[in-house]
Amino acid sequence: MEQCASVEREVDKVLQKFLTYGQHCEQSLEELLHHVGQLRAELASAALQGTPLSATLSLVMSQCCQKIKDTVQKLASDHKDIHSSVSRVGKAIDRNFDSEICGVVSDAVWDSREKQQQILQMAIVEHLYQQGMLSVAEELCQESTLNVDLDFKQPFLELNRILEALHEQDLGPALEWAISHRQRLLELNSSLEFKLHRLHFIRLLAGGPEKQLEALSYARHFQPFARLHQREIQVMMGSLVYLRLGLEKSPYCHLLDSSHWAEICETFTRDACSLLGLSVESPLSVSFASGCVALPVLMNIKAVIEQRQCTGVWSHKDELPIEIELGMKCWYHSVFACPILRQQTSDSNPPIKLICGHVISRDALNKLINGGKLKCPYCPMEQNPADGKRIIF
């Protein structure tokens, strides 16, 4: 982040110079136009009178021409100074960032270039769909000849349609979706449907005493949620007492807070993505954020590897040469490291549970087989290697 801040300071300096130069340029040109306008008026007056050009007027013309020349030279000089400031931004970028970060990782670690390009394009398209930029995603698919199934696009189209309605404070599509997926939302312990009904009830309360009967009638929707949300329902029903006096000046004024709309959008996005098997944040944004944290460490590792001439240390696709702490935000699943080989398990080398209950990697299991039998490295129990079962964390 220090590198970014350093470059940002240089950019701010350039932007400030552009602003100052623009203001100075506009002011200088206005003064010149005013001066030339006055001189033109004097020349036109002298021509109407038919008098020859006086020495004073000739001197004023010469001074005006010289002033124009000096002003243009000054503006050109200031413009050159801006060019030097812009070049300093480029130097700051070169000084603070590695010009070739692709060399941080060996090409042998990655798949073919075509596979890389396809994965990257798919990640960008998914990110665009998730951000609601549907037309941009479609254009990218056409230009990159990427074939995206309608089944892949449909969940994003539906989510964006409902989110757009919520941003316009239209609860209808979200309520319809939540009711149709009620059972699955309950399995996730989601309170989305209740929050949508609550927000609709609050909108009726905001309508004043004229909406009191409608609000009371709508309160029947809270019946299925009475056991889990009893306190919140009591608060909403209590607010009806102050409806004629105005909720804005009552103890229930917090119900009218506009933050409820931002909260319902966030809740819907989280629960809908969980229900549909999608991540709340796009894989592209998560990968980018993780890369910003990991890249400086990997660059240091690269320098050490080159210095010690041990290029064979990092050759695995599924494992980094050192552990990099990305923070709790990037924890999505558990990771198991084999206690025998000290390696992180993967799809090609999954964790295996032995009959005795101990867990090792498949590679470790294969190396421990002796005469068709396997002896657990932690207890003396002998067993058949085929009895080991793959487990998933």
Side-chain angles (χ1 to χ4, degrees):
M1 293 304 295
E2 293 179 5
Q3 291 88 342
C4 293
S6 177
V7 174
E8 190 175 6
R9 285 193 294 269
E10 293 294 337
V11 172
D12 289 340
K13 290 179 183 177
V14 172
L15 293 175
Q16 185 60 40
K17 283 195 173 184
F18 267 114
L19 180 62
T20 306
Y21 176 77
Q23 294 172 346
H24 175 66
C25 184
E26 187 175 353
Q27 182 181 354
S28 300
L29 291 176
E30 285 180 356
E31 291 177 358
L32 282 179
L33 287 172
H34 180 69
H35 193 65
V36 170
Q38 288 181 334
L39 181 59
R40 182 180 179 184
E42 292 180 13
L43 289 172
S45 176
L48 287 174
Q49 295 175 4
T51 57
L53 194 64
S54 64
T56 304
L57 204 53
S58 298
L59 179 61
V60 171
M61 286 183 63
S62 300
Q63 290 176 347
C64 183
C65 292
Q66 185 62 40
K67 186 175 183 179
I68 293 173
K69 184 178 179 181
D70 293 343
T71 301
V72 172
Q73 288 178 348
K74 179 69 169 60
L75 293 176
S77 176
D78 292 344
H79 196 267
K80 287 182 180 178
D81 290 340
I82 293 178
H83 275 288
S84 62
S85 298
V86 173
S87 66
R88 279 197 290 272
V89 173
K91 291 177 181 177
I93 293 173
D94 294 338
R95 185 172 60 253
N96 289 283
F97 297 98
D98 196 319
S99 58
E100 183 52 56
I101 61 174
C102 297
V104 172
V105 182
S106 171
D107 291 338
V109 174
W110 308 109
D111 295 318
S112 64
R113 182 172 294 274
E114 292 77 13
K115 186 73 175 294
Q116 290 181 46
Q117 188 174 7
Q118 185 180 4
I119 293 173
L120 180 59
Q121 288 172 351
M122 198 64 191
I124 295 173
V125 167
E126 183 175 345
H127 177 79
L128 293 172
Y129 277 127
Q130 196 153 351
Q131 297 299 315
M133 294 182 277
L134 308 179
S135 58
V136 182
E138 292 292 339
E139 187 67 27
L140 177 59
C141 289
Q142 291 178 6
E143 293 186 5
S144 62
T145 64
L146 192 65
N147 186 20
V148 179
D149 295 334
L150 183 61
D151 293 339
F152 175 82
K153 294 188 285 187
Q154 191 59 39
F156 296 108
L157 297 175
E158 187 176 19
L159 287 180
N160 282 291
R161 177 182 64 83
I162 297 173
L163 280 173
E164 285 178 6
L166 287 176
H167 288 312
E168 295 174 2
Q169 299 191 357
D170 179 8
L171 294 168
L175 271 170
E176 183 182 347
W177 185 90
I179 292 170
S180 63
H181 295 84
R182 176 179 295 168
Q183 189 57 42
R184 295 180 64 191
L185 286 171
L186 288 175
E187 292 172 0
L188 294 173
N189 294 323
S190 169
S191 58
L192 174 63
E193 186 181 351
F194 169 74
K195 289 182 177 180
L196 289 168
H197 285 303
R198 182 186 65 177
L199 194 54
H200 186 79
F201 183 83
I202 292 172
R203 289 191 71 183
L204 294 174
L205 294 179
E210 295 80 8
K211 295 285 186 178
Q212 184 172 3
L213 289 177
E214 189 178 347
L216 281 169
S217 176
Y218 192 82
R220 289 179 297 180
H221 289 88
F222 296 138
Q223 185 177 357
F225 311 101
R227 185 174 60 85
L228 295 176
H229 302 279
Q230 181 180 357
R231 176 60 182 163
E232 294 172 272
I233 295 172
Q234 288 174 345
V235 169
M236 285 186 289
M237 300 311 294
S239 67
L240 291 169
V241 177
Y242 293 87
L243 198 57
R244 294 187 180 278
L245 301 175
L247 289 181
E248 297 83 359
K249 299 178 182 179
S250 73
Y252 299 94
C253 59
H254 65 277
L255 293 176
L256 303 178
D257 196 335
S258 59
S259 63
H260 291 307
W261 288 99
E263 181 188 347
I264 200 65
C265 289
E266 186 177 327
T267 303
F268 172 78
T269 302
R270 183 186 66 248
D271 291 351
C273 287
S274 178
L275 192 71
L276 298 171
L278 303 172
S279 59
V280 177
E281 296 185 49
S282 72
L284 182 66
S285 60
V286 173
S287 300
F288 181 81
S290 302
C292 289
V293 176
L295 189 58
V297 181
L298 295 178
M299 291 172 66
N300 291 336
I301 288 296
K302 176 198 172 187
V304 172
I305 289 175
E306 290 179 348
Q307 183 180 2
R308 298 187 179 180
Q309 297 181 353
C310 48
T311 54
V313 171
W314 185 9
S315 59
H316 299 285
K317 294 181 182 180
D318 302 322
E319 189 175 358
L320 295 175
I322 61 169
E323 184 175 348
I324 298 177
E325 181 60 50
L326 297 178
M328 291 291 294
K329 188 178 179 181
C330 293
W331 285 19
Y332 293 96
H333 55 80
S334 301
V335 174
F336 177 76
C338 176
I340 305 300
L341 299 181
R342 308 286 183 183
Q343 291 180 349
Q344 182 177 314
T345 54
S346 61
D347 290 337
S348 59
N349 180 30
I352 303 295
K353 177 180 174 294
L354 305 180
I355 294 177
C356 55
H358 293 108
V359 181
I360 60 177
S361 66
R362 178 178 287 171
D363 287 351
L365 182 146
N366 293 332
K367 290 183 179 181
L368 291 171
I369 295 175
N370 186 10
K373 289 289 184 179
L374 170 68
K375 186 175 182 180
C376 176
Y378 290 98
C379 63
M381 180 180 289
E382 286 193 0
Q383 50 201 292
N384 188 343
D387 293 335
K389 294 183 179 180
R390 176 177 177 175
I391 61 174
I392 298 175
F393 291 95

